[in-house]
Amino acid sequence: MRKAMILALALCLIGGIAACKKGGGDYAALGQYAEIGPTLDKFIAANEDFVTAIEKAASADEVAGALNAAAEKMTDLAPKMKAVIEKYPEFKTMDNPPEELKPLNDRIQSVMGRLMAAMGKAAPFMSDPKVQAAQEKYSQAMAGME
């Protein structure tokens, strides 16, 4: 359970940087952040898919599958997200997001709230070796964004 909470908190920190409209397309509202809109959209969508899969998981295999699928997506996104964080260091602490991102920050906060609840539901499966291996893979993928 502790690992799950750490994972969720790490997602909250990284997820706080991602705040753009679902479906993307119109990034002009992001102002100076418009160029990173597509990357942030993919990051949010990957997290939404992950949360949905965890919410639906009813077995260790399903939890491991959700973690592995998310790890693959995050591994692909990691270099792009790392570049975002490097170009815009203000994303490291999103306690007070830039004005352009404030209205959109609600979406990612909602996903993170769902993730916390879903990880609690998945907690009984966290001791399974398949889930632990998948969780390690996911943690490594997320660490690639630092």
Side-chain angles (χ1 to χ4, degrees), residues 47-116:
N47 278 294
E48 288 172 336
D49 291 346
F50 175 52
V51 171
T52 299
I54 289 290
E55 287 172 337
K56 292 178 181 179
S59 69
D61 286 339
E62 290 174 351
V63 171
L67 283 162
N68 283 324
E72 286 179 33
K73 290 177 184 177
M74 293 303 168
T75 297
D76 291 341
L77 282 170
K80 294 174 186 169
M81 289 302 294
K82 186 175 182 173
V84 167
I85 294 167
E86 287 173 359
K87 184 168 184 174
Y88 300 100
E90 63 267 30
F91 286 147
K92 288 184 180 182
T93 57
M94 287 295 282
D95 297 332
N96 189 16
E99 193 64 34
E100 299 93 338
L101 300 179
K102 282 182 181 179
L104 307 170
N105 199 38
D106 292 342
R107 182 172 167 214
I108 195 64
Q109 294 306 320
S110 173
V111 171
M112 292 307 129
R114 286 177 47 211
L115 179 61
M116 295 291 273

Side-chain angles (χ1 to χ4, degrees), residues 12-28:
C12 286
L13 291 174
I14 293 173
I17 69 168
C20 57
K21 293 180 181 176
K22 187 172 185 171
D26 182 19
Y27 300 110

